[in-house]
C-alpha cells in the first residue's frame, strides 16, 4: 500500500516551497512541535487563506460553506465541548444529507471522527477554515452561550462578599477576551468606576460601576497578582494566569500583566491580556508586501550586524521582534534576549527579564550575555548611550543583534543613534537595516462596502490631481460593534544599507538627506506610501493612514 505523501512534499512538488524551505521548516518543527502549516505561515511562505486552500487540495476536505449548513442546536449540543476542543473541531450544524458538519483547520484523526459520529449517530463531514477564523468562531460561541452582562448585586457593594466581586472581575476579563481587547482599564472617578477596553488600538468605554466597588476590585486584582494590598500610595506591577473559577464555563486561560497606579480618586488598574506562551505572530502575517518581506527576512538572517525595528509605543515592535526570533530559532543557534518585561515566553530561546536599578542595567546585563556564547541577541529596547555602544560592539564582532528604537521613521533612526552618543563609524558599519512600522485598523470584512475616494481624501493622502479610484469602508455591524473596523495590520518602511548610505551616516548626513537618497536610490517606500497601497487594496481607510502618519 502506497504511503500518502507528506504535506511538505506536496507543497514541494507543486512548487509552493523550495527544498531548502521545507528543510528549514522541518528543523523548526523538531524544536517547537507545531503543525507544519503553522510554521509555513509564520515564516511568510503562505498566508492563512493560501495555506487553507493548499490544505483543502491536499486533504480533499472542502472549504467552509456556511450557506449550505442548517443550524441544529440539539445536534451540535451532543458533542461535549472538551471533546470538540481535544479533536480540534467545531460542530456547526447539519447538511442537506443530514450529516453533522464540523469546522476544522486541518485533517482530523480518523478515530476522532468515529467517536463524534457515534455520539450523533450520523456521518461527520469536515470543512476547512483558517486557524484564526476557527479561533474567532470558538470565541463567538463562548460569548453567545455565556452571559457576560454586568449585574451588580447589593451584596457585592455593601457586604464583604469576595465571591461576588471575584465573579464580577471574571466577567469583565471574559468579556474583554471575547471582544479581542488587548487591555482592560479600571479607572476611579469622583462618583463612578469606569471600565474601558482597548480594542484594535482604541479605548472604548464598556461599563460604569458603583465607585464603592473600587477598593474591593483593586484588592481582588492585587491578590491574584501577588501584590501588596495594603500599599495604595505607590505603583505596583505583577501578573497572574486567568482561568474562571467562579463562573461555570470552560475556557483555556491566558496570562495577564497588571499595573496599579494611585490617582486622585483612588487606584487605577490596567490589565494587559498577553498571548499564550509561544503564540507568536509570524513574520508573514504582519502585513508586509512581498518585496519588503523578502528584503527584511534576508537581512535579518545575516550572521552579524544590528537590525532595528522602530516606531512609537503600541506600533507592534515587540510583535515583529518575536516573529523574527521565531523565524531564526533552531537548535544550531544560541539565541538570547534581554527584556523588560518578558511578555511572551518562547521555547528554544533563552529569555532574561531585566529590572533596571542601581545594581543592574541593560548594558551590564548585555556584557554578561556576551560571555554566554550567543549567536543572536535581542535587546528589547535601546534606551541609552551605554546600551547602544555595547550593542554596536557586539554587532561588529560576529553577533546578530535585534532591537527596537523609538523614532518616527527609518531615516531618523540614524540621527537618533548619533544623538544618543553612538560613534558615527560604528553605526555606519554595524547597522544592517531599519524597519519602521505602525498599526492601522482593518476594515470589517462583514460590513465592507465599496466607495469612490473623494477629492478631499486624495488631497489628504498626497494624491491631489490623480484620478479617483475605488476604496472600501465598513458601514458598522454587530461583528465590528458598529466601528467599521475589525483587527489591525501593519504598514512598514524598510531601509537597508549600501556603501553610499554608510558614508553618509559616517559623515553625519541629515535625516532629510538620508531620506532623499533612500527614495532616489534604495527603492525606499515610506510609511505613507505603504499605507496608500493598503487603502487601494481595500485593507484600511484614508483616515486610518492619516491618523498614524501625520
Amino acid at each position: 500500500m502506497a504511503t500518502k505523501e507528506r504535506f511538505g512534499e506536496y507543497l514541494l512538488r507543486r512548487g509552493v516551497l523550495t527544498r531548502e524551505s521545507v528543510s528549514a521548516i522541518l528543523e523548526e518543527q523538531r524544536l517547537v512541535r507545531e503543525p507544519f502549516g503553522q510554521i509555513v505561515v509564520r515564516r511568510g511562505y503562505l498566508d492563512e487563506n493560501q495555506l487553507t486552500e493548499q490544505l483543502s487540495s491536499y486533504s480533499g476536505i472542502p472549504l467552509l460553506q456556511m450557506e449550505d449548513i442548517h443550524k441544529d442546536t440539539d445536534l451540535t449540543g451532543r458533542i461535549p465541548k472538551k471533546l470538540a476542543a481535544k479533536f480540534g473541531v467545531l460542530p456547526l450544524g447539519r447538511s442537506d444529507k443530514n450529516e453533522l458538519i464540523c469546522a476544522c483547520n486541518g485533517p482530523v484523526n480518523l478515530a476522532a471522527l468515529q467517536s463524534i459520529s457515534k455520539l450523533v449517530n450520523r456521518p461527520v463531514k469536515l470543512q476547512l477554515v483558517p486557524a484564526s477564523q476557527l479561533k474567532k468562531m470558538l470565541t463567538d460561541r463562548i460569548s453567545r452561550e455565556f452571559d457576560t452582562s454586568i449585574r451588580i448585586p447589593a451584596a457585592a457593594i455593601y457586604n464583604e462578599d469576595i465571591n461576588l466581586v471575584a465573579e464580577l472581575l471574571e466577567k469583565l476579563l471574559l468579556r474583554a477576551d471575547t471582544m479581542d481587547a488587548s487591555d482592560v482599564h479600571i479607572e476611579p472617578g469622583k462618583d463612578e468606576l469606569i471600565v474601558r477596553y482597548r480594542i484594535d488600538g482604541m479605548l472604548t468605554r464598556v461599563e460604569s460601576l458603583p465607585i464603592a466597588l473600587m477598593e474591593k476590585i483593586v484588592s481582588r486584582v492585587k491578590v491574584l497578582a501577588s501584590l501588596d494590598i495594603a500599599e495604595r500610595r505607590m505603583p505596583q506591577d505583577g501578573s497572574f494566569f486567568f482561568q474562571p473559577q467562579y463562573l461555570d464555563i470552560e475556557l483555556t486561560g491566558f496570562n495577564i500583566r497588571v499595573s496599579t497606579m494611585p490617582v486622585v480618586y483612588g487606584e487605577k488598574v490596567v490589565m494587559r491580556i498577553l498571548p499564550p506562551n509561544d503564540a507568536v505572530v509570524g513574520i508573514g502575517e504582519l502585513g508586509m508586501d512581498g518585496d519588503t518581506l523578502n528584503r527584511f527576512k534576508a537581512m535579518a538572517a545575516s550572521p552579524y550586524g544590528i537590525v532595528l525595528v522602530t516606531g512609537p509605543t503600541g506600533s507592534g515592535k515587540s510583535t515583529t521582534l518575536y516573529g523574527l526570533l521565531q523565524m531564526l530559532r533552531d537548535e544550531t543557534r544560541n539565541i538570547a534576549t534581554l527584556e523588560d518585561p518578558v511578555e511572551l515566553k518562547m521555547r528554544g530561546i533563552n529569555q532574561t527579564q531585566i529590572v533596571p536599578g542601581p545594581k543592574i542595567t541593560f548594558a551590564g546585563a548585555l556584557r554578561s550575555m556576551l560571555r554566554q556564547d550567543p549567536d543572536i541577541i535581542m535587546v528589547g529596547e535601546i534606551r541609552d548611550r551605554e546600551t547602544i555602544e555595547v550593542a554596536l560592539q557586539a554587532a561588529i564582532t560576529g553577533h546578530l543583534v535585534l532591537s527596537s528604537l523609538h523614532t518616527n521613521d527609518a531615516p531618523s533612526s540614524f540621527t537618533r543613534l548619533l544623538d544618543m552618543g553612538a560613534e558615527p563609524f560604528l553605526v555606519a558599519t554595524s547597522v544592517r537595516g531599519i524597519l519602521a512600522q505602525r498599526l492601522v485598523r482593518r476594515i470589517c470584512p462583514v460590513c465592507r462596502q465599496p466607495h469612490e475616494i473623494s477629492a478631499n481624501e486624495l488631497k489628504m493622502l498626497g494624491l491631489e490631481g490623480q484620478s479617483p479610484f475605488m476604496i472600501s469602508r465598513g458601514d458598522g455591524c454587530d461583528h465590528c460593534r458598529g466601528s467599521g473596523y475589525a483587527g489591525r495590520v501593519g504598514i512598514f518602511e524598510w531601509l537597508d544599507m549600501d556603501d553610499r548610505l554608510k558614508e553618509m551616516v559616517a559623515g553625519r548626513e541629515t535625516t532629510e538627506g538620508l531620506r532623499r537618497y533612500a527614495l532616489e536610490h534604495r527603492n525606499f517606500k515610506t510609511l505613507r506610501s505603504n499605507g496608500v497601497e493598503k487603502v487601494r487594496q481595500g485593507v484600511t481607510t484614508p483616515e486610518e493612514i492619516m491618523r498614524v502618519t501625520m
Side-chain angles (χ1 to χ4, degrees):
M1 180 178 175
T3 303
K4 183 177 176 65
E5 70 176 337
R6 296 179 180 274
F7 186 46
E9 295 168 347
Y10 174 80
L11 295 179
L12 177 62
R13 179 168 57 81
R14 296 193 60 164
V16 177
L17 297 178
T18 64
R19 188 165 298 281
E20 292 75 16
S21 301
V22 172
S23 298
I25 294 168
L26 290 174
E27 187 173 349
E28 182 174 345
Q29 191 177 32
R30 283 193 293 270
L31 176 68
V32 299
R33 305 296 181 188
E34 291 176 351
F36 187 92
Q38 186 173 328
I39 302 173
V40 168
V41 172
R42 187 168 61 234
R43 284 177 168 259
Y45 298 120
L46 296 172
D47 62 33
E48 270 200 324
N49 291 325
Q50 292 169 333
L51 173 69
T52 306
E53 290 171 1
Q54 293 290 343
L55 272 172
S56 177
S57 176
Y58 166 74
S59 65
I61 302 173
L63 299 175
L64 179 64
Q65 300 293 331
M66 287 298 295
E67 61 272 17
D68 297 333
I69 301 173
H70 306 286
K71 286 188 178 181
D72 190 332
T73 53
D74 290 336
L75 177 63
T76 57
R78 297 182 208 171
I79 312 298
K81 294 174 185 175
K82 281 188 176 180
L83 186 68
K86 176 183 176 182
F87 294 153
V89 300
L90 177 63
L92 298 176
R94 57 179 173 81
S95 68
D96 290 333
K97 297 180 180 179
N98 215 25
E99 304 156 320
L100 173 66
I101 303 296
C102 293
C104 62
N105 64 356
V108 177
N109 185 282
L110 180 60
L113 292 178
Q114 291 172 342
S115 298
I116 295 173
S117 180
K118 287 180 181 178
L119 283 171
V120 296
N121 195 29
R122 68 190 65 200
V124 176
K125 294 297 180 184
L126 300 175
Q127 293 191 358
L128 280 175
V129 295
S132 61
Q133 185 179 339
L134 184 63
K135 179 183 176 183
K136 176 66 176 172
M137 293 165 73
L138 288 165
T139 302
D140 288 345
R141 174 159 292 188
I142 290 174
S143 62
R144 287 196 306 271
E145 293 179 354
F146 185 77
D147 181 13
T148 57
S149 60
I150 305 297
R151 301 181 184 88
I152 312 297
I157 303 175
Y158 302 110
N159 300 334
E160 296 298 324
D161 193 327
I162 300 300
N163 290 354
L164 290 174
V165 174
E167 182 178 323
L168 169 62
L169 181 62
E170 287 187 359
K171 281 191 173 185
L172 291 173
L173 291 173
L174 177 61
R175 190 201 294 181
D177 183 50
T178 59
M179 294 174 69
D180 292 327
S182 62
D183 300 84
V184 177
H185 291 238
I186 301 178
E187 307 168 334
K190 184 177 181 181
D191 50 17
E192 64 178 338
L193 190 62
I194 300 166
V195 180
R196 296 195 291 172
Y197 294 163
R198 187 172 295 280
I199 301 171
D200 294 336
M202 309 292 283
L203 276 173
T204 303
R205 180 170 175 157
V206 296
E207 201 68 58
S208 177
L209 304 174
I211 190 63
L213 283 172
M214 191 235 347
E215 287 189 11
K216 296 180 177 66
I217 291 178
V218 172
S219 294
R220 176 60 183 166
V221 172
K222 286 182 175 180
V223 168
L224 291 171
S226 301
L227 303 179
D228 184 354
I229 61 173
E231 178 56 75
R232 300 175 181 174
R233 294 177 297 176
M234 296 289 290
Q236 296 188 69
D237 297 311
S239 62
F240 66 93
F241 183 78
F242 170 68
Q243 196 154 30
Q245 299 176 19
Y246 295 87
L247 301 177
D248 185 20
I249 184 172
E250 295 174 0
L251 176 73
T252 302
F254 46 84
N255 294 306
I256 292 180
R257 193 176 76 222
V258 175
S259 172
T260 68
M261 174 75 71
V263 293
V264 173
Y265 295 110
E267 282 186 277
K268 176 179 176 179
V269 174
V270 176
M271 291 177 282
R272 166 68 57 88
I273 299 176
L274 301 175
N277 293 341
D278 234 26
V280 179
V281 177
I283 288 295
E285 302 171 80
L286 299 174
M288 295 185 205
D289 64 79
D291 179 60
T292 299
L293 177 61
N294 290 334
R295 293 166 67 189
F296 181 53
K297 287 168 62 177
M299 194 60 63
S302 301
Y304 61 89
I306 185 166
V307 176
L308 294 171
V309 180
T310 76
T313 300
S315 60
K317 299 186 298 296
S318 295
T319 299
T320 299
L321 287 172
Y322 279 129
L324 259 183
L325 292 178
Q326 185 83 287
M327 183 188 80
L328 295 172
R329 70 180 178 182
D330 64 47
E331 292 180 332
T332 67
R333 295 187 178 111
N334 176 17
I335 303 178
T337 75
L338 294 176
E339 304 173 62
D340 178 24
V342 174
E343 292 195 6
L344 195 155
K345 297 173 184 176
M346 300 175 64
R347 285 171 289 179
I349 307 289
N350 300 295
Q351 296 173 271
T352 301
Q353 181 158 313
I354 297 297
V355 181
K359 293 185 178 180
I360 187 169
T361 63
F362 263 82
L366 183 54
R367 289 192 184 93
S368 297
M369 182 169 284
L370 289 172
R371 294 190 285 272
Q372 290 278 310
D373 186 32
D375 298 293
I376 299 172
I377 301 171
M378 192 269 273
V379 181
E381 181 184 339
I382 290 178
R383 307 178 180 183
D384 51 51
R385 176 177 179 174
E386 191 179 11
T387 303
I388 183 58
E389 285 180 344
V390 179
L392 292 174
Q393 287 289 349
I396 63 174
T397 55
H399 305 87
L400 178 63
V401 180
L402 313 174
S403 192
S404 68
L405 195 65
H406 285 275
T407 60
N408 289 329
D409 57 19
S412 63
S413 300
F414 293 107
T415 306
R416 171 69 175 145
L417 293 173
L418 299 183
D419 288 345
M420 290 171 68
E423 292 291 342
F425 76 92
L426 276 179
V427 175
T429 55
S430 61
V431 174
R432 305 301 300 270
I434 299 176
L435 181 79
Q437 66 180 70
R438 300 288 190 279
L439 292 176
V440 296
R441 292 181 291 174
R442 287 181 182 270
I443 298 168
C444 175
V446 176
C447 60
R448 174 199 308 271
Q449 295 294 330
H451 292 266
E452 185 177 276
I453 192 168
S454 68
N456 185 53
E457 288 168 336
L458 284 171
K459 182 179 180 181
M460 187 168 60
L461 293 175
L463 305 176
E464 191 172 11
Q466 293 192 18
S467 301
F469 51 89
M470 298 304 293
I471 62 174
S472 296
R473 292 188 184 283
D475 287 347
C477 64
D478 291 341
H479 178 72
C480 62
R481 296 170 289 276
S483 69
Y485 298 97
R488 291 191 290 176
V489 67
I491 59 173
F492 303 89
E493 62 179 36
W494 168 249
L495 179 59
D496 48 15
M497 303 292 282
D498 66 1
D499 290 340
R500 176 57 186 147
L501 201 53
K502 290 178 182 178
E503 291 175 3
M504 296 172 74
V505 172
R508 292 182 176 271
E509 180 61 70
T510 65
T511 297
E512 188 53 42
L514 295 172
R515 182 181 294 109
R516 190 182 308 113
Y517 175 80
L519 287 168
E520 293 175 359
H521 302 284
R522 298 300 299 153
N523 191 26
F524 179 64
K525 299 176 183 177
T526 64
L527 287 166
R528 176 69 62 82
S529 65
N530 185 230
V532 170
E533 288 178 10
K534 285 184 167 58
V535 171
R536 288 181 180 273
Q537 294 164 2
V539 174
T540 190
T541 63
E543 292 82 3
E544 275 296 285
I545 300 306
M546 294 305 299
R547 180 176 66 86
V548 301
T549 64
M550 284 293 290

